[in-house]
Amino acid sequence: MPIVVRLDRVMADRKILLKDLADEVGITNVNLSKLKNGKAVAVRFSTLENICRALDCQPGDILEYSPDDK
């Protein structure tokens, strides 16, 4: 998939646990874990906004476009 999720890196930099971020963002641990591991097929802009607010970051810090070179 050409979209790479770097949420784990940002969370590690901010020293925040998955459970704590999920509580602050207002989503379940399972859904945040799916996003963190690149298993999510969609993310709401409101969720992305809440994650960025909680982590004091930009969407580009979390999501990266890496085109498939075939």
Side-chain angles (χ1 to χ4, degrees):
M1 174 180 266
I3 302 295
V4 179
V5 180
R6 302 279 185 213
L7 182 57
D8 55 343
R9 182 174 61 192
V10 178
M11 288 174 59
D13 289 346
R14 306 299 194 277
K15 296 179 174 65
I16 188 166
L17 298 173
L18 183 92
K19 177 192 172 307
D20 296 333
L21 182 58
D23 288 344
E24 191 167 342
V25 170
I27 62 175
T28 65
N29 290 350
V30 172
N31 285 338
L32 186 60
S33 180
K34 285 181 182 179
L35 179 60
K36 186 181 98 160
N37 294 319
K39 304 281 187 202
V41 295
V43 62
R44 293 176 189 230
F45 282 135
S46 59
T47 301
L48 185 58
E49 177 185 355
N50 290 337
I51 290 171
C52 289
R53 182 178 294 120
L55 296 176
D56 189 29
C57 67
Q58 294 293 315
D61 297 331
I62 297 171
L63 304 173
E64 178 182 324
Y65 176 67
S66 179
D68 294 333
D69 292 329
K70 292 184 181 180

